[in-house]
Amino acid sequence: VGLSFSFCQKANGLPLDKSLRSKKQKQHQRVRKEKPQQHNFTHRLLAAALKSHSGNISCMDFSSNGKYLATCADDRTVRIWSTKDFLQREHRSMRANVELDHATLVRFSPDCRAFIVWLANGDTLRVFKMTKREDGGYTFTATPEDFPKKHKASIINIGIADTGKFIMTASSDTTILIWNLKGHVLSTINTNQMNNTHAAISPCSRFVASCGFTPDVKVWEVCFGKKGDFQEVVRAFELKGHSAAVHFFAFSNDSRRMASVSKDGTWKLWDTDVEYKKQQDPYLLRTGCFEEASTMPCRLALSPDAQVLALASGSSIHLYNTRRGEKEECFEQVHGECITDLSFDITGRLLASCGDRAVRLFHNTPGHRAVVEEMQGLLKRASNESTRQRLQQQLTQAQEALRSLGALKK
């Protein structure tokens, strides 16, 4: 060794940068190890891919003011993305670190001044406060106390009511807990569905719903008094009509529509704007076929206006027009892993999906087409001029959007 070393002497007596070279090689090896091959996906309707996470993304949430998207991954971080950058070349994100743990679920508070996460190892809820700094960024601070541990089985979803009155956590047994924001349990719901596969709060904050092994979706009302004090949770209504277990469901933005997808190989759209206290049942509006649901778990997302249903199974996404029940778009192998979350932004113009280290955003062309169809129908019946002008403006906007995406049907 001494000999080879003497050959490596430089004129100035310093050894040649052999040690540096091996250091560099090691670094290269390390970098390669940490960065597995990014899954490449291209599509004419792909609007953007958000890449900053170094681990797989399990959950995302759009803030109610439409300004931010939160994502959490097993890289011990939560990222907050600015939605106004989505169609730019650079996508900025702010990072919140999850100390000694990682978040599996994330939800913004209605005022966008905080977010909650479910901790993978801690098995409980943690609240992060978001404080705006003078430079326009945010400081993220975890509140000193995490919520007490109450669930016995693994968690499938969490939510915060838009009214800010309660938090919901649901586990894979039959338990849903309703909490106040301080971490006290207000009510325990037993869904009696053998097991829960999904649970969610309605956007109007009146309802909590769940689905699981039974062929129905159960909906409860969370009741508060005039002064905002919690009163009780009561059964409201059920979505009955599937013939096998329900994988997933979603609400429209105004909570007047719901969609469900089942192991029976179908999806259904429901009118839930009913007076259930007078024993009125939800109406089934449409049933569509989705074969994949009979063999594997699926997720769905309903566009804010309920015109478009997005279904994900494995790493593929299918978009349906809910009025006609027809499939309009299909994106295959969108992610390198199974899709873990699917969500429309609050404008309904974009659909976001995650599964690997990236969030992919798609242009919602079926949504624009639905607006075109609806406006054309309304224009035929419109009698007064100002209504016609308004409808024509919306029609032109939707047609322009489709034209810019090269998706206007001749």
Side-chain angles (χ1 to χ4, degrees):
V1 177
L3 188 75
S4 64
F5 182 68
S6 62
F7 279 142
C8 293
Q9 294 290 343
K10 263 194 175 170
N12 62 1
L14 285 172
L16 227 148
D17 57 348
K18 191 175 179 182
S19 61
L20 267 179
R21 207 167 41 239
S22 64
K23 231 187 205 166
K24 269 197 175 150
Q25 277 171 341
K26 268 186 190 149
Q27 271 177 338
H28 273 301
Q29 282 167 348
R30 246 211 320 276
V31 167
R32 260 211 297 282
K33 227 185 239 153
E34 280 171 19
K35 282 209 165 176
Q37 190 62 46
Q38 278 271 5
H39 176 73
N40 272 330
F41 172 82
T42 53
H43 194 280
R44 61 187 172 80
L45 295 180
L46 183 68
L50 310 181
K51 298 174 181 177
S52 274
H53 279 292
S54 62
N56 287 343
I57 303 167
S58 56
C59 181
M60 47 188 187
D61 190 43
F62 283 100
S63 63
S64 57
N65 62 9
K67 286 183 182 176
Y68 302 109
L69 172 69
T71 54
C72 63
D74 57 15
D75 59 10
R76 297 186 168 184
T77 70
V78 173
R79 296 254 172 198
I80 311 283
W81 308 80
S82 175
T83 56
K84 67 174 192 292
D85 295 343
F86 282 175
L87 303 180
Q88 309 300 322
R89 285 192 60 159
E90 294 290 312
H91 304 120
R92 289 172 304 175
S93 71
M94 299 174 284
R95 188 182 76 197
N97 294 322
V98 184
E99 294 298 324
L100 307 176
D101 209 327
H102 72 268
T104 55
L105 297 159
V106 60
R107 296 285 175 252
F108 276 110
S109 66
D111 62 5
C112 303
R113 290 188 188 156
F115 59 84
I116 59 171
V117 300
W118 187 263
L119 299 173
N121 306 325
D123 236 359
T124 187
L125 273 183
R126 178 169 294 170
V127 181
F128 282 84
K129 291 258 173 20
M130 296 169 58
T131 322
K132 201 156 196 167
R133 297 196 306 260
E134 281 180 6
D135 64 5
Y138 278 92
T139 303
F140 305 106
T141 329
T143 52
E145 292 281 303
D146 292 335
F147 274 35
K149 289 187 191 184
K150 297 282 185 188
H151 283 279
K152 293 181 176 69
S154 59
I155 286 294
I156 53 166
N157 203 15
I158 61 175
I160 309 184
D162 271 352
T163 52
K165 286 182 182 170
F166 68 92
I167 285 172
M168 174 214 77
T169 55
S171 49
S172 60
D173 47 12
T174 58
T175 311
I176 297 176
L177 296 181
I178 305 296
W179 309 72
N180 70 6
L181 272 57
K182 299 266 192 294
H184 297 293
V185 174
L186 300 172
S187 184
T188 303
I189 302 171
N190 176 2
T191 66
N192 287 320
Q193 287 171 314
M194 302 275 285
N195 67 328
N196 301 333
T197 52
H198 184 55
I201 305 173
S202 64
C204 67
S205 300
R206 269 180 73 188
F207 304 115
V208 163
S210 80
C211 67
F213 185 73
T214 56
D216 50 19
V217 178
K218 290 183 179 172
V219 185
W220 289 263
E221 182 172 5
V222 184
C223 306
F224 287 84
K226 290 267 191 292
K227 295 188 175 118
D229 50 314
F230 171 75
Q231 289 181 328
E232 59 176 347
V233 174
V234 294
R235 287 290 292 276
F237 55 86
E238 288 180 18
L239 306 182
K240 293 196 284 262
H242 283 296
S243 59
V246 178
H247 293 300
F248 214 84
F249 66 86
F251 290 92
S252 65
N253 206 28
D254 61 7
S255 306
R256 291 175 173 181
R257 298 280 183 275
M258 285 179 75
S260 56
V261 61
S262 160
K263 204 173 173 164
D264 63 14
T266 68
W267 58 263
K268 291 180 185 290
L269 182 75
W270 312 80
D271 178 348
T272 52
D273 189 16
V274 294
E275 294 196 47
Y276 69 87
K277 283 175 181 158
K278 296 179 180 171
Q279 272 66 59
Q280 205 179 5
D281 285 325
Y283 300 100
L284 177 62
L285 297 172
R286 163 110 21 240
T287 298
C289 199
F290 188 58
E291 287 296 326
E292 288 88 337
S294 54
T295 55
M296 57 203 295
C298 307
R299 306 181 71 85
L300 63 78
L302 193 54
S303 65
D305 60 7
Q307 298 272 17
V308 182
L309 178 67
L311 286 153
S313 67
S315 59
S316 300
I317 300 171
H318 309 259
L319 298 186
Y320 287 81
N321 170 300
T322 56
R323 217 160 18 158
R324 292 191 312 285
E326 291 170 13
K327 189 193 288 194
E328 294 213 357
E329 300 289 352
C330 180
F331 312 126
E332 291 187 336
Q333 292 173 338
V334 177
H335 296 279
E337 309 275 338
C338 282
I339 291 168
T340 50
D341 207 353
L342 194 62
S343 175
F344 286 92
D345 76 334
I346 67 165
T347 67
R349 287 170 169 265
L350 294 172
L351 172 70
S353 70
C354 62
D356 46 25
R357 298 172 171 213
V359 172
R360 302 200 197 275
L361 297 154
F362 294 91
H363 291 288
N364 177 17
T365 46
H368 295 304
R369 281 192 211 110
V371 171
V372 169
E373 282 172 36
E374 189 181 16
M375 294 307 141
Q376 284 170 337
L378 290 169
L379 270 167
K380 281 178 190 150
R381 299 195 295 276
S383 49
N384 83 26
E385 193 49 40
S386 66
T387 306
R388 290 184 66 83
Q389 275 177 345
R390 195 181 74 246
L391 296 172
Q392 187 59 55
Q393 191 184 355
Q394 284 173 279
L395 174 62
T396 310
Q397 270 177 342
Q399 286 171 328
E400 281 306 313
L402 288 167
R403 190 173 288 117
S404 71
L405 297 167
L408 193 59
K409 286 184 177 165
K410 299 286 182 282

